Amino acid sequence: MSGNFRKFFKESALYLVGLMLNRLISFLLLPIYTNVFDKTQNGIITIAYAFLGFMMIILPYGTDAALLNFYTGNDRDRKNYFSSAYLLVLISNLLILGLAFLARNSLSPAVLRVSDPRIFVWCLIILFFDTLNALTLLILRAEGRPVTFVSFSLANVLLMMGLNIFLVVHRRLGLAGIFYSNILTSAGIWLGLLPLVLKRLDWRLVSGKYIRSLVRFGFPFLPAGIFAVILDLSDRWFLEYFTDMETVGLYGVGYKLAAVMLIFVLAFNSAWQPFFLKARREKNTPNMIARVSFLVIGGLAFCWLFFSIWMSYIVRIKISGRYLIGAEFWAGTSVTPLIMLAYLFQALYLLQLPSIFLLEKTKWEPVFRGLGAATNIILNIAFIPRLGMSGAAMATVLAYLAMVIAIWFFNRKYYPLKYDWPKIGAIIILTASAYLVAIWGDSVIYRVIATGIGLLGISGILFWSLKGKILPIQKDR
């Protein structure tokens, strides 16, 4: 099992690099977006990206989760499942996006809150390529090819950055330059992945049998995916409804800054799901889940502490006479610690998710996600009119916390996991105390002290556990 752990954390590190590169785009583009565009224009960008995120869940309708499950568990029929899934998504893309294009004049103001239908059409083109790209990149994860994954992530960053600098900064195409950059990048990545697709694709292997298996397994994930997107993205529309597009733009910048936490969560999950699916036959899988959970909680707790303490200083860094983030957007950092805390709770939920796969109780996934979505909607309506964008952030935190509590009770009944609660509690108390020191002092020296307390304290707890019973180190035989 120690060899499995080493492989898991090695692959996690590589996926972390790949996802950091992908998410790095958000940070690298923020100086452009916050220094070139005003709050209203950033609000339009935020709503458009929220729509893209929502549709990236709708269009595969659970096929991606099903493909990952069958691809990792059945070496003999891999081509059959991939060919069937790719054809399914391709045809559905053409149908759904084609219908959306025909209704663009009505859907654009209703969905994006803009009258110009061109932005809506540009989003549809991006979605066509991105959904197919996501399916192929998922196969790289299933095959355990993180280096190739990282290579395409790097290409994605270079293309996106280069095109944005050329089209937005030099050619001054405005919002159109952003969407042109996205379209050209997505199409370029699709062309780069095409040889990998053709190597695994055989239309003769497409069969109703495999399509039915994919749909039967994956369909429960569609409502779950919809609920997840409602949880993550609906606050933008509520903010626009209760406040204005400028507030949405400010909130969107604060949210993107918090994505530094999401990078680590997604990188972990990229390796986590294939790992526990492959380890499903191990006798001590529950103990393995508890061990990994403890280490991930410790690492993410320090990440949250560090960036919560220092983000307000990071945005004020000057590069070539310009602030990293435009001064009018600094107020957006007020929601960043809350959103990062929500991402931490999201990780706690993902850590407990293996049970529904291993017990084949995937029908519970929509229940947990639905609880989170309903909580988020209710709290957004209750909080935003009174608290503005801080209320939206608080609603997201509490929604994820509700999901964590719900799945914990589920696991307690059906799939008990033995966590080391005293040490997890110590990490929570230490992190909260260090954060309060930084906020109470409100100066660089206090923030340095708080960072040191967090680093030394959490590292000490993790090291103590590594030397003890949480993760015993064994020699390979």
Side-chain angles (χ1 to χ4, degrees), residues 7-24 68 137 141-142 146 149-150 153 258-276 292 296 299-300 303 343 346-347 350-351:
K7 182 179 180 182
F8 168 71
F9 285 109
K10 179 181 177 181
E11 290 189 358
S12 289
L14 288 170
Y15 286 123
L16 174 61
V17 172
L19 286 163
M20 281 183 68
L21 289 171
N22 282 327
R23 289 290 173 172
L24 192 60
L68 181 61
L137 291 172
R141 285 174 49 197
F149 184 88
V150 170
S153 299
V260 65
M261 188 75 173
L262 182 62
I263 291 171
F264 294 99
V265 175
L266 293 180
F268 146 74
N269 194 47
S270 293
W272 179 231
Q273 192 170 352
F275 176 72
F276 71 69
V292 173
V296 170
L300 290 179
C303 289
Y343 287 142
Q346 180 184 9
L350 294 172
L351 283 165

Short mmCIF file of all heavy atoms in Angstrom, two decimals, residues 7-24 68 137 141-142 146 149-150 153 258-276 292 296 299-300 303 343 346-347 350-351:
data_model
loop_
_atom_site.label_atom_id
_atom_site.label_comp_id
_atom_site.label_asym_id
_atom_site.label_seq_id
_atom_site.Cartn_x
_atom_site.Cartn_y
_atom_site.Cartn_z
N LYS A 7 2.58 6.59 -5.37
CA LYS A 7 2.09 6.84 -6.72
C LYS A 7 0.97 7.88 -6.70
O LYS A 7 0.92 8.78 -7.54
CB LYS A 7 1.57 5.55 -7.34
CG LYS A 7 1.09 5.73 -8.79
CD LYS A 7 0.61 4.42 -9.38
CE LYS A 7 0.13 4.62 -10.81
NZ LYS A 7 -0.41 3.38 -11.40
N PHE A 8 0.09 7.77 -5.69
CA PHE A 8 -1.01 8.73 -5.59
C PHE A 8 -0.50 10.15 -5.43
O PHE A 8 -0.92 11.07 -6.14
CB PHE A 8 -1.92 8.36 -4.41
CG PHE A 8 -2.91 9.43 -4.05
CD1 PHE A 8 -3.97 9.72 -4.89
CD2 PHE A 8 -2.74 10.18 -2.90
CE1 PHE A 8 -4.88 10.72 -4.56
CE2 PHE A 8 -3.64 11.18 -2.57
CZ PHE A 8 -4.71 11.44 -3.41
N PHE A 9 0.42 10.36 -4.49
CA PHE A 9 0.90 11.71 -4.24
C PHE A 9 1.80 12.20 -5.36
O PHE A 9 1.84 13.40 -5.65
CB PHE A 9 1.61 11.77 -2.88
CG PHE A 9 0.66 11.76 -1.72
CD1 PHE A 9 0.56 10.64 -0.90
CD2 PHE A 9 -0.16 12.85 -1.47
CE1 PHE A 9 -0.32 10.63 0.16
CE2 PHE A 9 -1.06 12.83 -0.41
CZ PHE A 9 -1.14 11.72 0.40
N LYS A 10 2.50 11.29 -6.04
CA LYS A 10 3.31 11.70 -7.19
C LYS A 10 2.40 12.18 -8.32
O LYS A 10 2.63 13.24 -8.93
CB LYS A 10 4.16 10.52 -7.67
CG LYS A 10 5.02 10.84 -8.89
CD LYS A 10 5.82 9.63 -9.32
CE LYS A 10 6.63 9.93 -10.59
NZ LYS A 10 7.40 8.74 -11.04
N GLU A 11 1.34 11.41 -8.61
CA GLU A 11 0.41 11.81 -9.66
C GLU A 11 -0.35 13.07 -9.26
O GLU A 11 -0.62 13.94 -10.10
CB GLU A 11 -0.57 10.67 -9.97
CG GLU A 11 0.09 9.49 -10.67
CD GLU A 11 -0.92 8.47 -11.16
OE1 GLU A 11 -2.13 8.67 -10.94
OE2 GLU A 11 -0.49 7.47 -11.77
N SER A 12 -0.68 13.19 -7.97
CA SER A 12 -1.37 14.39 -7.50
C SER A 12 -0.51 15.63 -7.75
O SER A 12 -1.02 16.68 -8.15
CB SER A 12 -1.69 14.28 -6.00
OG SER A 12 -2.70 13.34 -5.78
N ALA A 13 0.81 15.48 -7.49
CA ALA A 13 1.71 16.61 -7.70
C ALA A 13 1.76 17.00 -9.17
O ALA A 13 1.76 18.19 -9.51
CB ALA A 13 3.11 16.25 -7.20
N LEU A 14 1.78 16.02 -10.06
CA LEU A 14 1.82 16.32 -11.49
C LEU A 14 0.50 16.93 -11.97
O LEU A 14 0.49 17.90 -12.74
CB LEU A 14 2.14 15.06 -12.28
CG LEU A 14 3.58 14.55 -12.16
CD1 LEU A 14 3.72 13.17 -12.78
CD2 LEU A 14 4.55 15.52 -12.83
N TYR A 15 -0.61 16.37 -11.50
CA TYR A 15 -1.90 16.96 -11.85
C TYR A 15 -2.04 18.36 -11.27
O TYR A 15 -2.67 19.24 -11.87
CB TYR A 15 -3.05 16.07 -11.36
CG TYR A 15 -3.23 14.82 -12.17
CD1 TYR A 15 -3.19 13.56 -11.58
CD2 TYR A 15 -3.44 14.88 -13.55
CE1 TYR A 15 -3.36 12.40 -12.33
CE2 TYR A 15 -3.61 13.74 -14.30
CZ TYR A 15 -3.57 12.50 -13.69
OH TYR A 15 -3.73 11.37 -14.43
N LEU A 16 -1.42 18.55 -10.09
CA LEU A 16 -1.43 19.88 -9.49
C LEU A 16 -0.77 20.89 -10.42
O LEU A 16 -1.27 21.99 -10.63
CB LEU A 16 -0.72 19.85 -8.14
CG LEU A 16 -0.52 21.20 -7.44
CD1 LEU A 16 -1.85 21.85 -7.15
CD2 LEU A 16 0.28 21.01 -6.16
N VAL A 17 0.37 20.49 -11.01
CA VAL A 17 1.06 21.37 -11.95
C VAL A 17 0.16 21.68 -13.14
O VAL A 17 0.03 22.84 -13.56
CB VAL A 17 2.38 20.73 -12.43
CG1 VAL A 17 3.01 21.55 -13.55
CG2 VAL A 17 3.35 20.57 -11.27
N GLY A 18 -0.48 20.63 -13.69
CA GLY A 18 -1.35 20.82 -14.84
C GLY A 18 -2.52 21.73 -14.54
O GLY A 18 -2.83 22.66 -15.30
N LEU A 19 -3.17 21.50 -13.40
CA LEU A 19 -4.32 22.32 -13.05
C LEU A 19 -3.91 23.72 -12.61
O LEU A 19 -4.64 24.68 -12.82
CB LEU A 19 -5.13 21.63 -11.94
CG LEU A 19 -5.93 20.43 -12.45
CD1 LEU A 19 -6.36 19.55 -11.29
CD2 LEU A 19 -7.13 20.88 -13.25
N MET A 20 -2.72 23.83 -12.01
CA MET A 20 -2.21 25.15 -11.67
C MET A 20 -1.98 25.96 -12.95
O MET A 20 -2.28 27.15 -13.01
CB MET A 20 -0.91 25.05 -10.89
CG MET A 20 -1.09 24.71 -9.42
SD MET A 20 0.47 24.67 -8.51
CE MET A 20 0.91 26.40 -8.54
N LEU A 21 -1.48 25.28 -13.98
CA LEU A 21 -1.28 25.98 -15.24
C LEU A 21 -2.61 26.43 -15.83
O LEU A 21 -2.73 27.57 -16.31
CB LEU A 21 -0.55 25.05 -16.23
CG LEU A 21 0.92 24.77 -15.93
CD1 LEU A 21 1.46 23.67 -16.84
CD2 LEU A 21 1.76 26.03 -16.10
N ASN A 22 -3.61 25.55 -15.79
CA ASN A 22 -4.93 25.93 -16.32
C ASN A 22 -5.55 27.07 -15.52
O ASN A 22 -6.06 28.04 -16.08
CB ASN A 22 -5.87 24.72 -16.31
CG ASN A 22 -5.60 23.76 -17.46
OD1 ASN A 22 -5.20 24.19 -18.53
ND2 ASN A 22 -5.78 22.48 -17.23
N ARG A 23 -5.51 26.95 -14.20
CA ARG A 23 -6.10 27.97 -13.35
C ARG A 23 -5.24 29.23 -13.30
O ARG A 23 -5.72 30.31 -12.96
CB ARG A 23 -6.31 27.42 -11.93
CG ARG A 23 -7.43 26.40 -11.86
CD ARG A 23 -8.77 27.07 -12.06
NE ARG A 23 -9.84 26.10 -12.16
CZ ARG A 23 -11.13 26.43 -12.19
NH1 ARG A 23 -11.49 27.68 -12.16
NH2 ARG A 23 -12.04 25.49 -12.31
N LEU A 24 -3.96 29.07 -13.62
CA LEU A 24 -3.07 30.22 -13.63
C LEU A 24 -3.54 31.25 -14.64
O LEU A 24 -3.26 32.45 -14.49
CB LEU A 24 -1.64 29.76 -13.98
CG LEU A 24 -0.50 30.76 -13.79
CD1 LEU A 24 -0.42 31.19 -12.34
CD2 LEU A 24 0.81 30.16 -14.25
N LEU A 68 -15.05 7.49 -17.02
CA LEU A 68 -13.94 7.30 -16.10
C LEU A 68 -14.10 6.01 -15.31
O LEU A 68 -13.14 5.25 -15.12
CB LEU A 68 -13.85 8.49 -15.14
CG LEU A 68 -12.70 8.45 -14.12
CD1 LEU A 68 -11.35 8.42 -14.82
CD2 LEU A 68 -12.80 9.64 -13.17
N LEU A 137 -9.09 14.66 -22.17
CA LEU A 137 -8.19 14.87 -21.04
C LEU A 137 -8.54 13.94 -19.88
O LEU A 137 -7.66 13.52 -19.13
CB LEU A 137 -8.28 16.33 -20.58
CG LEU A 137 -7.68 17.36 -21.56
CD1 LEU A 137 -8.00 18.78 -21.10
CD2 LEU A 137 -6.16 17.17 -21.69
N ARG A 141 -6.15 11.13 -17.62
CA ARG A 141 -6.17 10.86 -16.18
C ARG A 141 -6.39 9.38 -15.91
O ARG A 141 -5.72 8.79 -15.07
CB ARG A 141 -7.29 11.67 -15.52
CG ARG A 141 -7.01 13.14 -15.34
CD ARG A 141 -8.25 13.86 -14.83
NE ARG A 141 -8.83 13.18 -13.68
CZ ARG A 141 -10.06 13.39 -13.23
NH1 ARG A 141 -10.84 14.27 -13.85
NH2 ARG A 141 -10.51 12.73 -12.18
N ALA A 142 -7.35 8.78 -16.61
CA ALA A 142 -7.68 7.37 -16.39
C ALA A 142 -6.50 6.47 -16.73
O ALA A 142 -6.31 5.41 -16.10
CB ALA A 142 -8.90 6.98 -17.22
N PRO A 146 -0.04 11.78 -16.42
CA PRO A 146 -0.04 13.16 -15.96
C PRO A 146 0.90 14.08 -16.74
O PRO A 146 0.65 15.28 -16.85
CB PRO A 146 0.38 13.06 -14.49
CG PRO A 146 1.11 11.76 -14.39
CD PRO A 146 0.45 10.85 -15.38
N PHE A 149 -0.89 15.26 -19.70
CA PHE A 149 -1.90 16.18 -19.19
C PHE A 149 -1.30 17.56 -18.92
O PHE A 149 -1.85 18.59 -19.30
CB PHE A 149 -2.51 15.60 -17.91
CG PHE A 149 -3.62 16.41 -17.31
CD1 PHE A 149 -4.93 16.20 -17.71
CD2 PHE A 149 -3.35 17.36 -16.35
CE1 PHE A 149 -5.97 16.95 -17.15
CE2 PHE A 149 -4.37 18.11 -15.80
CZ PHE A 149 -5.68 17.90 -16.20
N VAL A 150 -0.13 17.57 -18.29
CA VAL A 150 0.55 18.82 -17.98
C VAL A 150 0.97 19.53 -19.26
O VAL A 150 0.89 20.77 -19.37
CB VAL A 150 1.77 18.56 -17.08
CG1 VAL A 150 2.63 19.81 -16.96
CG2 VAL A 150 1.33 18.10 -15.70
N SER A 153 -1.90 21.30 -20.67
CA SER A 153 -2.24 22.42 -19.79
C SER A 153 -1.31 23.60 -20.06
O SER A 153 -1.76 24.75 -20.10
CB SER A 153 -2.12 21.98 -18.33
OG SER A 153 -3.01 20.92 -18.04
N ALA A 258 -9.76 33.63 -5.20
CA ALA A 258 -9.93 32.46 -4.33
C ALA A 258 -9.66 31.16 -5.05
O ALA A 258 -9.47 30.12 -4.42
CB ALA A 258 -11.34 32.45 -3.74
N ALA A 259 -9.62 31.20 -6.39
CA ALA A 259 -9.39 29.98 -7.16
C ALA A 259 -8.03 29.37 -6.90
O ALA A 259 -7.78 28.22 -7.26
CB ALA A 259 -9.55 30.27 -8.65
N VAL A 260 -7.14 30.13 -6.23
CA VAL A 260 -5.84 29.55 -5.85
C VAL A 260 -6.06 28.35 -4.95
O VAL A 260 -5.31 27.36 -4.99
CB VAL A 260 -4.95 30.61 -5.16
CG1 VAL A 260 -5.54 31.05 -3.83
CG2 VAL A 260 -3.55 30.09 -4.96
N MET A 261 -7.11 28.39 -4.14
CA MET A 261 -7.46 27.26 -3.27
C MET A 261 -8.07 26.14 -4.10
O MET A 261 -7.79 24.95 -3.88
CB MET A 261 -8.44 27.73 -2.20
CG MET A 261 -8.74 26.69 -1.13
SD MET A 261 -7.36 26.52 0.01
CE MET A 261 -8.09 25.43 1.23
N LEU A 262 -8.90 26.52 -5.06
CA LEU A 262 -9.55 25.52 -5.90
C LEU A 262 -8.53 24.72 -6.71
O LEU A 262 -8.75 23.55 -7.01
CB LEU A 262 -10.54 26.21 -6.84
CG LEU A 262 -11.35 25.31 -7.77
CD1 LEU A 262 -12.21 24.35 -6.97
CD2 LEU A 262 -12.21 26.15 -8.71
N ILE A 263 -7.42 25.35 -7.05
CA ILE A 263 -6.37 24.66 -7.80
C ILE A 263 -5.94 23.40 -7.06
O ILE A 263 -5.86 22.31 -7.63
CB ILE A 263 -5.16 25.58 -8.01
CG1 ILE A 263 -5.50 26.71 -8.98
CG2 ILE A 263 -3.95 24.80 -8.52
CD1 ILE A 263 -4.43 27.77 -9.08
N PHE A 264 -5.66 23.56 -5.77
CA PHE A 264 -5.20 22.42 -4.97
C PHE A 264 -6.30 21.38 -4.79
O PHE A 264 -6.03 20.17 -4.82
CB PHE A 264 -4.71 22.91 -3.60
CG PHE A 264 -3.49 23.78 -3.67
CD1 PHE A 264 -3.59 25.14 -3.61
CD2 PHE A 264 -2.23 23.22 -3.82
CE1 PHE A 264 -2.48 25.96 -3.69
CE2 PHE A 264 -1.10 24.02 -3.89
CZ PHE A 264 -1.21 25.38 -3.83
N VAL A 265 -7.55 21.83 -4.64
CA VAL A 265 -8.66 20.89 -4.48
C VAL A 265 -8.86 20.06 -5.74
O VAL A 265 -8.98 18.83 -5.69
CB VAL A 265 -9.95 21.65 -4.13
CG1 VAL A 265 -11.15 20.69 -4.09
CG2 VAL A 265 -9.81 22.35 -2.79
N LEU A 266 -8.86 20.72 -6.91
CA LEU A 266 -9.07 20.01 -8.17
C LEU A 266 -7.90 19.10 -8.51
O LEU A 266 -8.08 18.01 -9.07
CB LEU A 266 -9.32 21.01 -9.29
CG LEU A 266 -10.60 21.83 -9.21
CD1 LEU A 266 -10.71 22.78 -10.40
CD2 LEU A 266 -11.82 20.93 -9.15
N ALA A 267 -6.70 19.55 -8.20
CA ALA A 267 -5.53 18.72 -8.47
C ALA A 267 -5.58 17.43 -7.65
O ALA A 267 -5.32 16.33 -8.16
CB ALA A 267 -4.25 19.48 -8.15
N PHE A 268 -5.95 17.59 -6.38
CA PHE A 268 -6.11 16.41 -5.53
C PHE A 268 -7.18 15.48 -6.09
O PHE A 268 -6.98 14.27 -6.22
CB PHE A 268 -6.47 16.85 -4.11
CG PHE A 268 -7.40 15.92 -3.39
CD1 PHE A 268 -6.96 14.70 -2.92
CD2 PHE A 268 -8.74 16.24 -3.23
CE1 PHE A 268 -7.83 13.83 -2.27
CE2 PHE A 268 -9.61 15.40 -2.59
CZ PHE A 268 -9.15 14.18 -2.11
N ASN A 269 -8.32 16.05 -6.48
CA ASN A 269 -9.43 15.22 -6.96
C ASN A 269 -9.12 14.55 -8.29
O ASN A 269 -9.64 13.46 -8.57
CB ASN A 269 -10.70 16.07 -7.10
CG ASN A 269 -11.94 15.22 -7.25
OD1 ASN A 269 -12.14 14.26 -6.51
ND2 ASN A 269 -12.76 15.55 -8.23
N SER A 270 -8.28 15.16 -9.12
CA SER A 270 -7.91 14.56 -10.40
C SER A 270 -7.22 13.21 -10.21
O SER A 270 -7.39 12.30 -11.01
CB SER A 270 -7.00 15.51 -11.19
OG SER A 270 -7.70 16.66 -11.59
N ALA A 271 -6.43 13.12 -9.16
CA ALA A 271 -5.76 11.84 -8.88
C ALA A 271 -6.57 10.97 -7.92
O ALA A 271 -6.47 9.75 -7.94
CB ALA A 271 -4.38 12.10 -8.27
N TRP A 272 -7.42 11.61 -7.10
CA TRP A 272 -8.16 10.91 -6.06
C TRP A 272 -9.16 9.91 -6.63
O TRP A 272 -9.19 8.74 -6.23
CB TRP A 272 -8.86 11.94 -5.18
CG TRP A 272 -9.70 11.43 -4.05
CD1 TRP A 272 -10.98 11.76 -3.74
CD2 TRP A 272 -9.30 10.52 -3.01
NE1 TRP A 272 -11.41 11.14 -2.61
CE2 TRP A 272 -10.40 10.36 -2.14
CE3 TRP A 272 -8.12 9.82 -2.75
CZ2 TRP A 272 -10.35 9.53 -1.03
CZ3 TRP A 272 -8.08 8.99 -1.63
CH2 TRP A 272 -9.18 8.85 -0.79
N GLN A 273 -9.98 10.36 -7.58
CA GLN A 273 -11.03 9.47 -8.09
C GLN A 273 -10.46 8.24 -8.80
O GLN A 273 -10.86 7.11 -8.48
CB GLN A 273 -11.98 10.23 -9.00
CG GLN A 273 -13.24 9.45 -9.33
CD GLN A 273 -14.29 10.29 -10.03
OE1 GLN A 273 -14.14 11.50 -10.17
NE2 GLN A 273 -15.34 9.67 -10.49
N PRO A 274 -9.52 8.37 -9.75
CA PRO A 274 -8.95 7.16 -10.35
C PRO A 274 -8.25 6.28 -9.32
O PRO A 274 -8.27 5.05 -9.42
CB PRO A 274 -7.95 7.71 -11.37
CG PRO A 274 -8.42 9.09 -11.67
CD PRO A 274 -9.01 9.59 -10.39
N PHE A 275 -7.65 6.92 -8.29
CA PHE A 275 -6.89 6.16 -7.29
C PHE A 275 -7.80 5.26 -6.47
O PHE A 275 -7.54 4.07 -6.31
CB PHE A 275 -6.15 7.14 -6.38
CG PHE A 275 -5.42 6.46 -5.25
CD1 PHE A 275 -4.28 5.72 -5.48
CD2 PHE A 275 -5.88 6.58 -3.95
CE1 PHE A 275 -3.60 5.11 -4.44
CE2 PHE A 275 -5.22 5.97 -2.90
CZ PHE A 275 -4.07 5.23 -3.14
N PHE A 276 -8.90 5.81 -5.93
CA PHE A 276 -9.74 4.95 -5.08
C PHE A 276 -10.55 3.96 -5.91
O PHE A 276 -10.94 2.91 -5.41
CB PHE A 276 -10.61 5.77 -4.12
CG PHE A 276 -11.74 6.55 -4.74
CD1 PHE A 276 -12.85 5.91 -5.29
CD2 PHE A 276 -11.73 7.94 -4.72
CE1 PHE A 276 -13.91 6.63 -5.82
CE2 PHE A 276 -12.79 8.66 -5.25
CZ PHE A 276 -13.88 8.01 -5.80
N VAL A 292 -5.44 9.42 3.83
CA VAL A 292 -5.27 10.47 2.82
C VAL A 292 -6.04 11.72 3.24
O VAL A 292 -5.55 12.85 3.09
CB VAL A 292 -5.76 9.97 1.44
CG1 VAL A 292 -5.76 11.11 0.43
CG2 VAL A 292 -4.86 8.84 0.94
N VAL A 296 -4.54 15.55 3.49
CA VAL A 296 -5.09 16.59 2.61
C VAL A 296 -5.68 17.73 3.44
O VAL A 296 -5.49 18.91 3.11
CB VAL A 296 -6.17 15.99 1.68
CG1 VAL A 296 -6.92 17.09 0.94
CG2 VAL A 296 -5.53 15.03 0.69
N GLY A 299 -2.79 19.93 4.66
CA GLY A 299 -2.22 20.74 3.59
C GLY A 299 -3.12 21.88 3.16
O GLY A 299 -2.68 23.02 3.00
N LEU A 300 -4.41 21.59 3.00
CA LEU A 300 -5.35 22.62 2.56
C LEU A 300 -5.60 23.66 3.64
O LEU A 300 -5.84 24.84 3.34
CB LEU A 300 -6.67 21.97 2.14
CG LEU A 300 -6.64 21.15 0.86
CD1 LEU A 300 -8.01 20.55 0.57
CD2 LEU A 300 -6.16 21.97 -0.33
N CYS A 303 -2.86 26.14 3.27
CA CYS A 303 -3.09 26.92 2.05
C CYS A 303 -4.13 28.01 2.30
O CYS A 303 -3.95 29.17 1.90
CB CYS A 303 -3.53 26.03 0.90
SG CYS A 303 -2.24 24.95 0.26
N TYR A 343 -14.19 26.28 -0.65
CA TYR A 343 -13.43 25.27 -1.40
C TYR A 343 -12.83 24.22 -0.46
O TYR A 343 -12.71 23.05 -0.82
CB TYR A 343 -12.33 25.95 -2.20
CG TYR A 343 -12.82 26.71 -3.41
CD1 TYR A 343 -12.24 27.92 -3.78
CD2 TYR A 343 -13.86 26.22 -4.19
CE1 TYR A 343 -12.69 28.62 -4.90
CE2 TYR A 343 -14.32 26.91 -5.30
CZ TYR A 343 -13.72 28.12 -5.65
OH TYR A 343 -14.17 28.79 -6.75
N GLN A 346 -15.51 21.92 0.20
CA GLN A 346 -15.71 21.10 -0.99
C GLN A 346 -14.73 19.92 -0.99
O GLN A 346 -15.10 18.79 -1.33
CB GLN A 346 -15.50 21.93 -2.26
CG GLN A 346 -15.68 21.12 -3.54
CD GLN A 346 -15.39 21.94 -4.79
OE1 GLN A 346 -14.89 23.06 -4.72
NE2 GLN A 346 -15.70 21.39 -5.94
N ALA A 347 -13.49 20.17 -0.59
CA ALA A 347 -12.50 19.08 -0.50
C ALA A 347 -12.92 18.04 0.54
O ALA A 347 -12.76 16.83 0.33
CB ALA A 347 -11.13 19.66 -0.15
N LEU A 350 -15.44 15.86 -1.09
CA LEU A 350 -14.83 14.95 -2.07
C LEU A 350 -14.08 13.81 -1.38
O LEU A 350 -14.05 12.69 -1.89
CB LEU A 350 -13.89 15.73 -2.98
CG LEU A 350 -14.55 16.76 -3.91
CD1 LEU A 350 -13.49 17.58 -4.62
CD2 LEU A 350 -15.45 16.06 -4.93
N LEU A 351 -13.49 14.10 -0.24
CA LEU A 351 -12.75 13.07 0.49
C LEU A 351 -13.67 11.96 0.98
O LEU A 351 -13.25 10.81 1.15
CB LEU A 351 -12.02 13.69 1.68
CG LEU A 351 -10.74 14.47 1.36
CD1 LEU A 351 -10.33 15.32 2.54
CD2 LEU A 351 -9.62 13.51 0.96
#
